[in-house]
Amino acid sequence: MAKAEVSAETVAATRLAGGKRNAEVRKGIDANKAYAIDEAVRLVKERAKAKFDETVEVAMNLGVDPKHADQMVRGVCNLPNGSGRTARVAVFARGPKAEEAKAAGADVVGAEDLVEIVSKGTINFDRCIATPDMMGLVGRLGKVLGPRGLMPNPRVGTVTMDVAGAVKGAKGGSVEFRVEKAGIVHAGIGKASFTEDALVENIKAFVDAVAKAKPAGSKGTYIKKVSVSSTMGPGVRVDTGTVVSATPTA
């Protein structure tokens, strides 16, 4: 049986989309359209067809230049429906606070001993918390923890005496965010197996947290673009008016 001819336009479109699979999952998505958040989430879920539970991610293009200290955007967001991911949490603490951390479910707890282990490059955790009195020691690990985004910071609640609350937050689905060089903030806010309503709630909570973290040095439009995607799926642009009540502009 002779093979059906494929037009040059179809071949070009398939290549442009990055192959047959990408061309297929992009069908029905207008790259130039900003969708209402509910519709955007539905489109993402419909296209999450991998053999694993894909992570749903949010990416935000902000009107900031993080090279300037007064335009840095950083914070933490407690997702109302969790992230769907169980984080391994390390706590630098001594005495009662160390016991408090263990009782709250911390995976790794220590003081000088933990500092020595981490200084040698052994990092078997995803989040790091410290009590204020431990920062003199933990500060020595800046070159190890800093590049990985794990350095405890009071601004995001990871330097605190409330270690139990911080551990439970990290375990329960709080996500940290920090703007990158190009002015992009992104984070995983759930799994494709979550309901549409749960994902919408998490996305709105995350966008709201980033909006509230607007730095004093940001001028003009702060939230320029928001998009959602799954691990193996295409990005879908979101109408910012459907995820924040009033987009900061100045």
PDB file of all heavy atoms in Angstrom, residues 158-176:
ATOM      1  N   THR A 158      12.820  30.458  56.940  1.00  0.00           N
ATOM      2  CA  THR A 158      13.646  29.277  57.195  1.00  0.00           C
ATOM      3  C   THR A 158      14.730  29.530  58.253  1.00  0.00           C
ATOM      4  O   THR A 158      15.512  28.634  58.563  1.00  0.00           O
ATOM      5  CB  THR A 158      14.296  28.766  55.888  1.00  0.00           C
ATOM      6  OG1 THR A 158      14.910  29.866  55.198  1.00  0.00           O
ATOM      7  CG2 THR A 158      13.247  28.126  54.995  1.00  0.00           C
ATOM      8  N   VAL A 159      14.778  30.729  58.789  1.00  0.00           N
ATOM      9  CA  VAL A 159      15.569  31.014  59.987  1.00  0.00           C
ATOM     10  C   VAL A 159      14.547  31.425  61.038  1.00  0.00           C
ATOM     11  O   VAL A 159      13.988  32.521  60.987  1.00  0.00           O
ATOM     12  CB  VAL A 159      16.603  32.143  59.768  1.00  0.00           C
ATOM     13  CG1 VAL A 159      17.338  32.446  61.079  1.00  0.00           C
ATOM     14  CG2 VAL A 159      17.614  31.751  58.697  1.00  0.00           C
ATOM     15  N   THR A 160      14.271  30.532  61.960  1.00  0.00           N
ATOM     16  CA  THR A 160      13.159  30.758  62.886  1.00  0.00           C
ATOM     17  C   THR A 160      13.291  29.910  64.136  1.00  0.00           C
ATOM     18  O   THR A 160      13.926  28.854  64.112  1.00  0.00           O
ATOM     19  CB  THR A 160      11.817  30.425  62.191  1.00  0.00           C
ATOM     20  OG1 THR A 160      10.745  30.551  63.107  1.00  0.00           O
ATOM     21  CG2 THR A 160      11.827  28.999  61.665  1.00  0.00           C
ATOM     22  N   MET A 161      12.661  30.376  65.211  1.00  0.00           N
ATOM     23  CA  MET A 161      12.593  29.570  66.422  1.00  0.00           C
ATOM     24  C   MET A 161      11.403  28.617  66.369  1.00  0.00           C
ATOM     25  O   MET A 161      11.340  27.655  67.118  1.00  0.00           O
ATOM     26  CB  MET A 161      12.478  30.480  67.656  1.00  0.00           C
ATOM     27  CG  MET A 161      13.764  31.250  67.975  1.00  0.00           C
ATOM     28  SD  MET A 161      15.169  30.154  68.312  1.00  0.00           S
ATOM     29  CE  MET A 161      14.713  29.509  69.940  1.00  0.00           C
ATOM     30  N   ASP A 162      10.484  28.896  65.452  1.00  0.00           N
ATOM     31  CA  ASP A 162       9.327  28.012  65.282  1.00  0.00           C
ATOM     32  C   ASP A 162       9.696  26.907  64.294  1.00  0.00           C
ATOM     33  O   ASP A 162       9.168  26.834  63.181  1.00  0.00           O
ATOM     34  CB  ASP A 162       8.126  28.803  64.786  1.00  0.00           C
ATOM     35  CG  ASP A 162       6.872  27.929  64.611  1.00  0.00           C
ATOM     36  OD1 ASP A 162       6.855  26.800  65.176  1.00  0.00           O
ATOM     37  OD2 ASP A 162       5.939  28.366  63.917  1.00  0.00           O
ATOM     38  N   VAL A 163      10.610  26.049  64.683  1.00  0.00           N
ATOM     39  CA  VAL A 163      11.086  25.015  63.769  1.00  0.00           C
ATOM     40  C   VAL A 163       9.979  24.015  63.435  1.00  0.00           C
ATOM     41  O   VAL A 163       9.909  23.508  62.315  1.00  0.00           O
ATOM     42  CB  VAL A 163      12.325  24.284  64.332  1.00  0.00           C
ATOM     43  CG1 VAL A 163      13.521  25.213  64.376  1.00  0.00           C
ATOM     44  CG2 VAL A 163      12.053  23.696  65.696  1.00  0.00           C
ATOM     45  N   ALA A 164       9.107  23.741  64.386  1.00  0.00           N
ATOM     46  CA  ALA A 164       8.014  22.795  64.136  1.00  0.00           C
ATOM     47  C   ALA A 164       7.112  23.318  63.025  1.00  0.00           C
ATOM     48  O   ALA A 164       6.754  22.590  62.094  1.00  0.00           O
ATOM     49  CB  ALA A 164       7.210  22.555  65.402  1.00  0.00           C
ATOM     50  N   GLY A 165       6.750  24.596  63.102  1.00  0.00           N
ATOM     51  CA  GLY A 165       5.896  25.198  62.079  1.00  0.00           C
ATOM     52  C   GLY A 165       6.578  25.223  60.724  1.00  0.00           C
ATOM     53  O   GLY A 165       5.953  24.957  59.697  1.00  0.00           O
ATOM     54  N   ALA A 166       7.886  25.538  60.734  1.00  0.00           N
ATOM     55  CA  ALA A 166       8.629  25.598  59.481  1.00  0.00           C
ATOM     56  C   ALA A 166       8.752  24.220  58.844  1.00  0.00           C
ATOM     57  O   ALA A 166       8.618  24.072  57.626  1.00  0.00           O
ATOM     58  CB  ALA A 166      10.021  26.187  59.724  1.00  0.00           C
ATOM     59  N   VAL A 167       9.001  23.216  59.660  1.00  0.00           N
ATOM     60  CA  VAL A 167       9.124  21.848  59.138  1.00  0.00           C
ATOM     61  C   VAL A 167       7.788  21.387  58.566  1.00  0.00           C
ATOM     62  O   VAL A 167       7.713  20.826  57.467  1.00  0.00           O
ATOM     63  CB  VAL A 167       9.593  20.859  60.232  1.00  0.00           C
ATOM     64  CG1 VAL A 167       9.456  19.417  59.761  1.00  0.00           C
ATOM     65  CG2 VAL A 167      11.033  21.151  60.620  1.00  0.00           C
ATOM     66  N   LYS A 168       6.719  21.622  59.298  1.00  0.00           N
ATOM     67  CA  LYS A 168       5.392  21.199  58.824  1.00  0.00           C
ATOM     68  C   LYS A 168       5.010  21.926  57.543  1.00  0.00           C
ATOM     69  O   LYS A 168       4.381  21.352  56.652  1.00  0.00           O
ATOM     70  CB  LYS A 168       4.351  21.444  59.917  1.00  0.00           C
ATOM     71  CG  LYS A 168       4.493  20.492  61.110  1.00  0.00           C
ATOM     72  CD  LYS A 168       3.515  20.823  62.224  1.00  0.00           C
ATOM     73  CE  LYS A 168       3.704  19.878  63.408  1.00  0.00           C
ATOM     74  NZ  LYS A 168       2.817  20.209  64.545  1.00  0.00           N
ATOM     75  N   GLY A 169       5.405  23.211  57.449  1.00  0.00           N
ATOM     76  CA  GLY A 169       5.124  23.974  56.234  1.00  0.00           C
ATOM     77  C   GLY A 169       5.865  23.394  55.046  1.00  0.00           C
ATOM     78  O   GLY A 169       5.305  23.229  53.961  1.00  0.00           O
ATOM     79  N   ALA A 170       7.159  23.086  55.251  1.00  0.00           N
ATOM     80  CA  ALA A 170       7.978  22.525  54.173  1.00  0.00           C
ATOM     81  C   ALA A 170       7.451  21.160  53.748  1.00  0.00           C
ATOM     82  O   ALA A 170       7.417  20.821  52.562  1.00  0.00           O
ATOM     83  CB  ALA A 170       9.426  22.411  54.630  1.00  0.00           C
ATOM     84  N   LYS A 171       7.033  20.371  54.719  1.00  0.00           N
ATOM     85  CA  LYS A 171       6.502  19.039  54.436  1.00  0.00           C
ATOM     86  C   LYS A 171       5.101  19.122  53.817  1.00  0.00           C
ATOM     87  O   LYS A 171       4.716  18.287  53.000  1.00  0.00           O
ATOM     88  CB  LYS A 171       6.423  18.228  55.730  1.00  0.00           C
ATOM     89  CG  LYS A 171       7.765  17.756  56.266  1.00  0.00           C
ATOM     90  CD  LYS A 171       8.263  16.571  55.468  1.00  0.00           C
ATOM     91  CE  LYS A 171       9.468  15.933  56.093  1.00  0.00           C
ATOM     92  NZ  LYS A 171       9.926  14.757  55.305  1.00  0.00           N
ATOM     93  N   GLY A 172       4.351  20.129  54.216  1.00  0.00           N
ATOM     94  CA  GLY A 172       2.960  20.220  53.803  1.00  0.00           C
ATOM     95  C   GLY A 172       2.726  20.886  52.471  1.00  0.00           C
ATOM     96  O   GLY A 172       1.599  20.935  51.990  1.00  0.00           O
ATOM     97  N   GLY A 173       3.772  21.425  51.853  1.00  0.00           N
ATOM     98  CA  GLY A 173       3.569  21.980  50.524  1.00  0.00           C
ATOM     99  C   GLY A 173       3.924  23.439  50.335  1.00  0.00           C
ATOM    100  O   GLY A 173       3.554  24.029  49.314  1.00  0.00           O
ATOM    101  N   SER A 174       4.649  24.046  51.272  1.00  0.00           N
ATOM    102  CA  SER A 174       5.080  25.421  51.032  1.00  0.00           C
ATOM    103  C   SER A 174       6.202  25.398  49.996  1.00  0.00           C
ATOM    104  O   SER A 174       7.013  24.471  49.968  1.00  0.00           O
ATOM    105  CB  SER A 174       5.565  26.077  52.331  1.00  0.00           C
ATOM    106  OG  SER A 174       6.735  25.453  52.816  1.00  0.00           O
ATOM    107  N   VAL A 175       6.222  26.379  49.113  1.00  0.00           N
ATOM    108  CA  VAL A 175       7.263  26.459  48.096  1.00  0.00           C
ATOM    109  C   VAL A 175       7.963  27.810  48.184  1.00  0.00           C
ATOM    110  O   VAL A 175       7.322  28.839  48.391  1.00  0.00           O
ATOM    111  CB  VAL A 175       6.695  26.264  46.671  1.00  0.00           C
ATOM    112  CG1 VAL A 175       6.210  24.843  46.489  1.00  0.00           C
ATOM    113  CG2 VAL A 175       5.576  27.252  46.370  1.00  0.00           C
ATOM    114  N   GLU A 176       9.250  27.791  48.051  1.00  0.00           N
ATOM    115  CA  GLU A 176      10.032  29.019  48.028  1.00  0.00           C
ATOM    116  C   GLU A 176      10.154  29.491  46.589  1.00  0.00           C
ATOM    117  O   GLU A 176      10.128  28.688  45.657  1.00  0.00           O
ATOM    118  CB  GLU A 176      11.423  28.786  48.610  1.00  0.00           C
ATOM    119  CG  GLU A 176      11.440  28.501  50.105  1.00  0.00           C
ATOM    120  CD  GLU A 176      12.855  28.381  50.651  1.00  0.00           C
ATOM    121  OE1 GLU A 176      13.757  29.044  50.103  1.00  0.00           O
ATOM    122  OE2 GLU A 176      13.052  27.608  51.594  1.00  0.00           O
TER     123      GLU A 176
END
